[in-house]
Amino acid sequence: MARILILMSTRTYRAEAFLRAAARLGVAITVGTEIDQPVVNLTPGASVALDLRHPHRAVEQILEFAREYPLEAVVGVDDDTTLPAAMAAEALGLPHNSVESVKASRYKDVMRLILAETDLNTPEFQLVAVDDDPLAVASRISYPCVVKPLSLSASRGVIRADGPTEFASAFREVIDILGEADLDPDDPAARQVLVESFIPGREFALEGLLRSGQLTVLALFDKPDPLDGPYFEETIYVAPSRLPEQAQTSIAEATARAAAALGLREGPIHAEIRLNEAGPWVIEVAARSVGGLCSNSLHFDFELSLEEIILRHAAGLEIASLQRERRAAGVMMIPIPKGGLLFEVRGLAEARGVGGIQDVKISIPRGQEVVPLPRGTKYLGFIFARAESPAAVEAALRAAHSRLEFNIRPIPVALESLA
């Protein structure tokens, strides 16, 4: 039986969706994560513990595992696992994106350098060492600008600055966030930050699948809330996009050209694009699918999920359709209004009762700390809606969110001292 190794960090949101998809395929699945699973001795080959923090060591462990359990594909489901997945696939001689292309998509500075060599719209940018004097750096850049880590995801540490004072503050905060991220000291992302010009305009998310270098657009999401900073917290995604067809085509073409420039040829991509009077600007192209639980908003013909499409492509299995459902759909990543301990969520029944709402999932347990951007790494939860039009989906998501109340209390001093 064919076997697929799925690499995922223990903190991923994606485990349930990928495992549910795998159960439909009729292939053997192994989950590779940082720790041994409790049932590892009861289900040999179903999981393997890997040192995902050190990709070269993880590849050695995967090769050892593959000697007993031959693999047909290796799939990384999030930012922490795309690189070891590509490295392992290369070592095993399996179809994959090149390691260099995945690194280029993983590190924002490398992506900027590559895309700057194309004729795509590209912001001005420069690398700054974490031990540089922020006031000296502030005097040589243009404003408004955006300060961002090289490799963190979910908008963590991405901060807009409109002048030298704001830049110095943002720069210091990003350095603090890098310290909290516990990056490998040898990782360039631990020693440098990226500063680039702020690109005004509306933002969109493109979900796509690359097959032999050809891009199929699976969904183009509108992001109706403005993302102008100082932090860039994503909230609502709605598909299909309400953009005119010509504008949608320009976004797809820019994404395809960016992926080709980076060297990506196989598997899912998630792109963040800004659109203004100059046309599309590629903010990011990741060699993975959309994060969080957002993929739950995507349904395809023949009851295919996004995760099943990804696994079928990786294993070389037939994909019956890449056509998204006809109805409009969307998701709201519930923003965190303030930091503290989540004591209670009120209004869930009322939110779920809004017309068009399919589900409301709170993903942070009661009693757990919630941390807003720019330092946060998790969402409060997700709201899902379907309706006959994108406008109706957006209205349902906003109505459901308005019915939720979050009781977030300050962290007791005794707990803060323990931290």
Side-chain angles (χ1 to χ4, degrees), residues 20-66:
R20 188 168 56 243
R24 287 170 49 100
L25 294 185
V27 300
I29 295 294
T30 298
V31 174
T33 189
E34 303 102 314
I35 58 175
D36 279 320
Q37 300 302 305
V39 295
V40 63
N41 293 325
L42 300 177
T43 54
S47 67
V48 58
L50 303 171
D51 185 1
L52 295 175
R53 181 176 166 83
H54 301 97
H56 288 284
R57 173 58 183 151
V59 171
E60 293 175 359
Q61 294 168 321
I62 291 170
L63 293 177
E64 181 179 351
F65 175 84

Side-chain angles (χ1 to χ4, degrees), residues 218-397:
L218 302 177
L220 181 63
F221 290 102
D222 289 343
K223 300 182 185 183
D225 286 337
L227 290 165
D228 293 329
Y231 311 130
F232 297 86
E233 185 168 44
E234 295 190 298
T235 51
I236 293 177
Y237 277 28
V238 178
S241 173
R242 286 163 277 186
L243 278 175
E245 184 175 348
Q246 184 177 359
Q248 293 192 42
T249 299
S250 72
I251 288 176
E253 290 176 347
T255 302
R257 290 165 59 200
L262 295 172
L264 297 172
R265 292 186 54 79
E266 297 292 343
I269 62 168
H270 175 75
E272 306 286 347
I273 309 290
R274 290 223 165 190
L275 186 67
N276 59 28
E277 64 279 359
W281 299 68
V282 178
I283 304 300
E284 175 183 320
V285 179
R288 56 163 174 80
S289 54
V290 65
L293 298 179
C294 296
S295 68
N296 290 1
S297 67
L298 292 176
H299 292 176
F300 297 86
D301 287 350
F302 300 97
E303 298 184 351
L304 290 175
S305 67
L306 177 62
E307 290 76 17
E308 186 173 347
I309 287 172
I310 292 168
L311 294 179
R312 283 185 171 278
H313 171 264
L317 302 175
E318 180 183 356
I319 303 174
S321 174
L322 295 176
Q323 177 64 49
R324 200 191 72 82
E325 65 176 322
R326 276 65 175 173
R327 297 186 76 196
V331 57
M332 183 177 199
M333 293 156 271
I334 302 173
I336 296 176
K338 63 179 180 179
L341 294 180
L342 179 62
F343 183 76
E344 185 181 13
V345 180
R346 305 187 190 99
L348 280 169
E350 293 81 357
R352 289 173 177 141
V354 171
I357 295 299
Q358 292 201 307
D359 200 4
V360 181
K361 293 182 180 292
I362 303 300
S363 52
I364 295 182
R366 289 175 55 186
Q368 187 169 318
E369 183 180 8
V370 292
V371 182
L373 286 179
R375 295 175 181 264
T377 61
K378 296 181 179 180
Y379 303 110
L380 261 175
F382 302 83
I383 307 172
F384 302 95
R386 276 181 169 73
E388 295 308 312
S389 71
V393 167
E394 181 183 343
L397 293 171

Side-chain angles (χ1 to χ4, degrees), residues 185-205:
D186 294 330
D187 189 337
R191 305 190 302 273
Q192 296 176 306
V193 299
L194 183 66
V195 181
E196 60 185 37
S197 57
F198 171 76
I199 305 302
R202 296 174 59 192
E203 189 161 307
F204 303 84

